[in-house]
Amino acid sequence: MKTSIATVSISGTLDAKLRAIAAAGFAGAEIFENDLLSTNLSARDVASLMADLGIACTMFQPFRDLEGLPEPQRTRAFDRLERKFDVMAELGTDLLLVCSSCSPLADGDRERMVADLQEAGERAAKRGLRIGYEALAWGRHVNDHRDAWALVRDADHPSIGLVLDSFHSLARRIPSSSIGDIRPEKLFIVQVADAPILDMDYLGWSRHFRSMPGQGEFPLDDWAAAIRRIGYEGYWSLEIFNDRFRAGSASGVAVDGYRSLKILEGGISRRSEVKTDMPPRVSTQGVEFIEFAASHEEAETLGGMLRPLGFRPTARHRHKDVTRWTAGPINIVVNCEPEGLAHSFDSVHGASVCAIGIAVQDVAGALGRADALHIPRFEQAVAPDEWPIPSVRGVGGSLIYFVDAATRDAMWAHEFPVPLEAPSAGFLTGIDHIAQTMQYEEFLSWLLFYVGLFDVQKTPQLEIADPMGLVQSQAVESPDRSLRFTLNGSLASQSLSSRFIQNYFGAGVQHIALATENVFALAEAAQSLGLAPLEIPRNYYDDLEAKWDLDPNLIDRMAELNILYDRDGEAEYFQFYSRAFARRVFFELVERRGYDGYGAANAPIRLAAQARHKPEIID
Ligand code: MG
Ligand code: MG
């Protein structure tokens, strides 16, 4: 896939944008006119900078309101066109984007539009240039790529071709099968954007909500397959307008952009039928372990929460100050080493989750996928007798280990040979989900990380009311749901999520949800053994009674144990929460009875309860 990105997609000055684009691995960039107008560099300087950076100038854009104008506006438009041709010659690109007219003066007469395109083609040909015509979703007379293609086809000029932009076509739900009518030599460039499905005007939707492939909800796999099927071999160029990306760092957005095109190349939600070098998304077999970085004192506190839940310290690392706690199939590793990543993590973030081990069938394949997406590996010195577990950088600088599912027992036996206490028969059956909290600006980036790296699907985006503001929440889930992450991002600086980030100095794990098949027995055992639950107000239970017509005895029992309840049809969800450990991480204990969600309806209750314990979350 030949990769390109429009400079409008990222923040910063034009030269900073171009450097970030080159560093991220793109082969080319479209120069957005406003970026050129606002830089000190001349068009020639931009051309030589791009040459030095090794990126092609794939297009100059946009040219507006060309076709269908009456005189004298028509003459003026063509004069303007000639001036843009002058700039293009200096920029070193032969392709100009002309978008369908929005001018109230434009005439919708087809013959007139075809004649104008021919005239523009003649003028471009004299300069050795080409024009790509794009149907804007809000174009006055042309707002459908099928109409734009018919005009290009009828203009029948070698310098006039089509630009397909996924936003304009998919926002209007134009069937991608119609792309089959387009002749590949006439498709001059393809522009790519994803977006959430929204019910709003096309212009506002496009200007503010475009996102990268994999971050939104457009059927991009079908769209891209239709383009490949006609034999298109040109650039795939990202054109993203999104306020969040403009607020982010140029290099971060450029890296995500490159990653998103590679994800599209291999297929976003199903494998591309076209041969590609992209290794497939990593299929996972659940979370093998969660690693905490902590001081000895913090480890003691954490142990005081783990023990009532049924965890026992069952083994010690062969030579490191690291303890393995287990409960049923769940492993929590507590790392008190005075040096290494866990220690530096503890110094920067305070006691918290510094790594997550994910069981995979094919470790080499997982690393190959990460490399192809430019996800950095974490290399750390491994002693000769140490079991090597490869890892990559995840949320907030934490690590994701790829644990070979076939040899995981051998790994534990080798690394943790020193037995401590016997495991206890408890009520925990596994890790249900891991919740991570991040800045609102980073949210889409980490979403892309998960959907790109792993074989997971994202759930619809939710907005959750925190007493101090709104939190955006979305989950990614493996097909068998043995791996589930919920991602939370907040704009409101005083929301719990934001306070978490401030307190944590960055994004990270906010809660760990553990599964049980008997939430009442677990709650009773844990709370009687000293686990302080998050206290839920009685009003909640009165409302529950009114809402679901539940047995009053059951409700009393839930109230006594601070268990929250949600329901979806006949499916039920029971959950209770611990208080926060080290003011950052807390545990959720859940019993699912056929329920697939995350108790979003209860999140405002939980957040309000936590806000009452604010000193726990923030100093
Ligand atoms: Mg476009
Ligand atoms: Mg949860």
Side-chain angles (χ1 to χ4, degrees):
M1 176 185 269
K2 288 164 74 179
T3 54
S4 165
I5 182 169
T7 54
V8 69
S9 312
I10 58 181
S11 59
T13 58
L14 182 57
D15 59 328
K17 290 180 187 214
L18 292 172
R19 285 176 207 286
I21 288 166
F26 285 94
E30 295 174 23
I31 299 292
F32 197 70
E33 187 172 35
N34 266 3
D35 283 322
L36 187 63
L37 298 181
S38 58
T39 180
N40 289 331
L41 302 175
S42 68
R44 274 184 215 285
D45 292 340
V46 172
S48 66
L49 175 61
M50 293 181 83
D52 289 347
L53 293 169
I55 46 175
C57 184
T58 53
M59 185 158 69
F60 183 51
Q61 70 128 320
F63 188 92
R64 302 182 197 279
D65 300 331
L66 176 71
E67 78 282 18
L69 289 174
E71 291 296 357
Q73 286 82 3
R74 182 178 184 279
T75 300
R76 255 186 259 141
F78 277 94
D79 288 347
R80 197 155 51 85
L81 185 67
E82 294 284 355
R83 283 203 291 281
K84 299 304 166 197
F85 288 164
D86 298 339
V87 175
M88 289 167 67
E90 294 182 355
L91 263 183
T93 180
D94 74 336
L95 184 58
L96 176 71
L97 176 92
V98 169
C99 35
S100 61
S101 184
C102 298
S103 167
L105 298 173
D107 187 335
D109 179 62
R110 267 195 104 254
E111 271 172 39
R112 175 111 175 239
M113 291 194 277
V114 168
D116 285 346
L117 287 180
Q118 284 168 335
E119 166 77 26
E122 274 304 293
R123 290 175 183 234
K126 274 190 199 137
R127 310 262 206 130
L129 304 176
R130 300 177 301 150
I131 286 172
Y133 183 60
E134 174 191 53
L136 294 179
W138 53 92
R140 186 168 169 82
H141 301 291
V142 178
N143 49 41
D144 181 319
H145 71 241
R146 291 170 292 197
D147 296 334
W149 164 237
L151 291 174
V152 165
R153 185 196 58 210
D154 295 351
D156 192 25
H157 192 286
S159 289
I160 297 291
L162 187 71
V163 174
L164 271 185
D165 178 324
S166 58
F167 181 86
H168 298 302
S169 300
L170 298 176
R172 296 195 78 102
R173 299 172 190 269
I174 299 166
S176 293
S177 56
S178 63
I179 292 169
D181 298 334
I182 300 165
R183 295 204 304 275
E185 74 279 8
K186 281 293 192 187
L187 184 51
F188 283 178
I189 201 164
V190 159
Q191 291 184 312
V192 193
D194 204 343
I197 304 290
L198 299 171
D199 185 14
M200 66 182 291
D201 70 290
Y202 294 124
L203 181 60
W205 187 7
S206 173
R207 290 274 161 86
H208 303 288
F209 296 97
R210 285 186 180 225
S211 60
M212 293 171 187
Q215 294 175 332
E217 296 169 296
F218 279 169
L220 281 173
D221 284 333
D222 286 342
W223 178 81
I227 290 169
R228 290 190 197 103
R229 221 172 287 130
I230 63 169
Y232 174 76
E233 285 179 350
Y235 283 99
W236 297 73
S237 193
L238 284 176
E239 190 192 35
I240 315 287
F241 309 93
N242 188 307
D243 306 332
R244 282 195 251 185
F245 298 158
R246 284 182 210 120
S249 85
S251 60
V253 174
V255 166
D256 278 355
Y258 180 83
R259 191 169 286 168
S260 74
L261 283 180
K262 299 309 279 183
I263 293 168
L264 178 67
E265 182 179 3
I268 295 169
S269 56
R270 55 159 207 268
R271 271 189 92 164
S272 160
E273 75 266 32
V274 174
K275 232 176 106 48
T276 144
D277 294 336
M278 281 302 290
R281 291 179 297 148
V282 180
S283 47
T284 56
Q285 303 196 315
V287 175
E288 185 61 24
F289 66 84
I290 294 174
E291 180 173 344
F292 278 84
S295 67
H296 283 120
E297 202 186 334
E298 293 158 339
E300 190 114 329
T301 311
L302 180 60
M305 295 178 81
L306 291 174
R307 214 173 255 284
L309 289 168
F311 282 90
R312 292 294 176 270
T314 51
R316 246 185 98 79
H317 192 271
R318 52 196 298 117
H319 55 75
K320 287 184 184 166
D321 191 351
V322 182
T323 307
R324 176 190 184 190
W325 289 72
T326 54
I330 309 167
N331 295 293
I332 287 182
V333 170
V334 182
N335 189 329
C336 299
E337 276 284 281
E339 51 194 33
L341 177 95
H343 176 69
S344 35
F345 209 85
D346 187 22
S347 313
V348 175
H349 301 286
S352 52
V353 173
C354 63
I356 296 168
I358 294 176
V360 302
Q361 223 148 28
D362 176 7
V363 173
L367 284 171
R369 176 78 183 179
D371 289 347
L373 295 175
H374 291 184
I375 293 172
R377 289 194 194 190
F378 176 72
E379 312 277 358
Q380 108 183 300
V382 178
D385 62 339
E386 227 173 301
W387 194 279
I389 318 172
S391 60
V392 296
R393 288 282 185 178
V395 170
S398 65
L399 300 185
I400 288 192
Y401 284 101
F402 297 128
V403 176
D404 182 359
T407 59
R408 51 184 143 184
D409 292 339
M411 171 193 81
W412 286 115
H414 182 272
E415 289 294 284
F416 290 84
V418 189
L420 298 172
E421 295 178 32
S424 125
F427 298 101
L428 294 175
T429 54
I431 291 171
D432 187 89
H433 62 271
I434 298 173
Q436 294 183 311
T437 296
M438 56 210 59
Q439 305 274 14
Y440 183 73
E441 290 77 16
E442 302 173 281
F443 184 92
L444 286 173
S445 179
W446 290 113
L447 182 69
L448 187 73
F449 173 89
Y450 284 115
V451 301
L453 183 57
F454 294 113
D455 182 16
V456 288
Q457 297 286 330
K458 52 187 189 293
T459 60
Q461 224 173 68
L462 296 175
E463 278 187 343
I464 291 170
D466 178 296
M468 307 291 182
L470 277 184
V471 177
Q472 184 179 12
S473 181
Q474 197 161 12
V476 293
E477 305 173 334
S478 65
D480 67 356
R481 296 205 170 91
S482 65
L483 181 72
R484 316 192 214 210
F485 287 98
T486 59
L487 310 183
N488 303 282
S490 175
L491 261 180
S493 66
Q494 281 306 308
S495 68
L496 184 80
S497 294
S498 295
R499 294 203 306 272
F500 169 87
I501 293 162
Q502 289 155 14
N503 205 35
Y504 190 93
F505 299 105
V509 170
Q510 185 217 39
H511 72 263
I512 298 167
L514 304 172
T516 178
E517 283 164 9
N518 192 341
V519 75
F520 289 94
L522 175 66
E524 193 161 66
Q527 292 172 27
S528 73
L529 290 169
L531 182 85
L534 183 69
E535 283 161 28
I536 305 301
R538 182 69 219 188
N539 292 347
Y540 170 80
Y541 295 97
D542 294 343
D543 178 58
L544 215 54
E545 200 160 352
K547 202 154 134 197
W548 298 115
D549 191 27
L550 294 172
D551 176 355
N553 292 323
L554 180 71
I555 289 181
D556 284 345
R557 191 102 179 88
M558 285 196 274
E560 207 178 297
L561 295 168
N562 295 288
I563 291 173
L564 297 148
Y565 177 84
D566 191 29
R567 188 165 187 160
D568 181 8
E570 289 304 298
E572 296 179 297
Y573 192 60
F574 297 86
Q575 49 179 171
F576 72 96
Y577 292 97
S578 76
R579 304 271 279 274
F581 159 66
R583 305 192 308 273
R584 284 178 208 93
V585 191
F586 54 94
F587 292 94
E588 178 187 359
L589 296 308
V590 311
E591 181 179 344
R592 293 176 182 275
R593 298 185 188 163
Y595 178 100
D596 290 329
Y598 297 88
N602 292 327
I605 309 293
R606 186 255 295 171
L607 288 161
Q610 286 173 320
R612 282 192 290 278
H613 292 296
K614 202 171 169 185
E616 265 181 28
I617 309 288
I618 194 164
D619 282 319

